[in-house]
Amino acid sequence: MEHDILPLTDKGVSAGNKVFGAAILRKSDLSVVIAETNNELENPLWHGEVHTLKRFYELGEKPATKDLIFLSTHEPCTMCMSAITWAGFDNFYYFFSHEDSRDAFAIPHDLKILKEVFGLEPGGYRKQNAFWHSFAIADLVAAEDEPLRQRLVDQTARIKDVYATLSERYQSGKGENDIPLN
């Protein structure tokens, strides 16, 4: 996230896109297969996760999704969860929660859609189901033993600081773009 998604997101936010991004990693060694970011200025459906899947399926040869991890900067919206499901991933990991998107990033649309369309409260979807298991990275960090936990907490703080800056930049310029639900 820090070395592959963030630089792309920085460029995307500079162009007027939201702060969401994703990467696909190999389960075997956690190497990056592809990383992408939100590209809603091109197409409002190109959320970070969906745009990453689009780019993944444009690769010539690609690993089987059963051998991959789907990493999302933010807890996927219902559209993105569905896309991850349809693409055949058995997992996804996310750094920021839906509540973070609403509260820290002032992008409440995921929770509004969960409530209005599906009648679900925040976190009301089944995080473990027949298709995939989802994991909050914050929970995984908290479960680690020291000294690794402290290194991960420090890295988490660095990443959150960068995203806070990107969010401020996005919020200050979002009135100038033509993204629905910005």
Side-chain angles (χ1 to χ4, degrees), residues 49-50 53 76-89 92 118 125 131-132:
E49 299 90 340
V50 174
L53 289 168
C77 72
T78 52
M79 178 183 73
C80 293
M81 278 190 257
S82 293
I84 291 165
T85 305
W86 281 104
F89 284 85
F92 66 83
F118 299 100
Y125 69 94
F131 298 104
W132 40 254

Side-chain angles (χ1 to χ4, degrees), residues 2 8 25 36 59 62 67 71 105-106 122 124 126 147-148 176:
E2 193 169 21
L8 295 169
L25 314 172
E36 260 306 333
L59 295 174
K62 57 193 158 300
D67 298 326
L71 172 64
F105 294 93
R126 293 195 325 216
L148 178 57
E176 300 168 24

Side-chain angles (χ1 to χ4, degrees), residues 25-31 65-69 90-91:
L25 314 172
R26 287 180 179 79
K27 287 181 181 176
S28 61
D29 62 5
L30 302 181
S31 61
T65 56
K66 69 178 178 56
D67 298 326
L68 301 172
I69 292 171
D90 63 6
N91 68 79

Side-chain angles (χ1 to χ4, degrees), residues 85-130:
T85 305
W86 281 104
F89 284 85
D90 63 6
N91 68 79
F92 66 83
Y93 293 74
Y94 59 91
F95 192 78
F96 294 104
S97 69
H98 283 157
E99 293 87 351
D100 291 330
S101 293
R102 177 192 64 205
D103 301 340
F105 294 93
I107 302 173
H109 314 301
D110 298 342
L111 292 179
K112 285 175 130 176
I113 291 169
L114 272 173
K115 179 71 173 171
E116 292 299 319
V117 177
F118 299 100
L120 297 174
E121 295 299 328
Y125 69 94
R126 293 195 325 216
K127 295 180 189 244
Q128 316 297 317
N129 59 64

Side-chain angles (χ1 to χ4, degrees), residues 7-181:
L8 295 169
T9 302
D10 185 26
K11 290 178 188 171
V13 168
S14 292
N17 289 294
K18 290 188 182 90
V19 297
F20 307 119
I24 296 173
L25 314 172
R26 287 180 179 79
K27 287 181 181 176
S28 61
D29 62 5
L30 302 181
S31 61
V32 176
V33 175
I34 194 159
E36 260 306 333
T37 192
N38 183 289
N39 193 11
E40 287 181 291
L41 289 174
E42 180 181 319
N43 180 331
L45 300 180
W46 294 159
H47 291 195
E49 299 90 340
V50 174
H51 194 235
T52 300
L53 289 168
K54 172 191 176 294
R55 295 289 314 273
F56 174 71
Y57 279 97
E58 291 172 349
L59 295 174
E61 288 189 38
K62 57 193 158 300
T65 56
K66 69 178 178 56
D67 298 326
L68 301 172
I69 292 171
F70 196 95
L71 172 64
S72 183
T73 59
H74 294 70
E75 190 170 7
C77 72
T78 52
M79 178 183 73
C80 293
M81 278 190 257
S82 293
I84 291 165
T85 305
W86 281 104
F89 284 85
D90 63 6
N91 68 79
F92 66 83
Y93 293 74
Y94 59 91
F95 192 78
F96 294 104
S97 69
H98 283 157
E99 293 87 351
D100 291 330
S101 293
R102 177 192 64 205
D103 301 340
F105 294 93
I107 302 173
H109 314 301
D110 298 342
L111 292 179
K112 285 175 130 176
I113 291 169
L114 272 173
K115 179 71 173 171
E116 292 299 319
V117 177
F118 299 100
L120 297 174
E121 295 299 328
Y125 69 94
R126 293 195 325 216
K127 295 180 189 244
Q128 316 297 317
N129 59 64
F131 298 104
W132 40 254
H133 292 169
S134 67
F135 305 92
I137 292 173
D139 294 340
L140 300 174
V141 168
E144 287 294 336
D145 293 328
E146 294 297 345
L148 178 57
R149 178 178 31 228
Q150 188 55 54
R151 286 197 311 268
L152 294 173
V153 165
D154 293 345
Q155 184 179 29
T156 296
R158 280 195 318 272
I159 292 169
K160 284 183 175 184
D161 286 346
V162 173
Y163 272 99
T165 300
L166 291 174
S167 179
E168 288 173 19
R169 210 166 60 198
Y170 168 73
Q171 291 296 331
S172 69
K174 74 180 183 180
E176 300 168 24
N177 68 36
D178 191 27
I179 299 173
L181 299 179

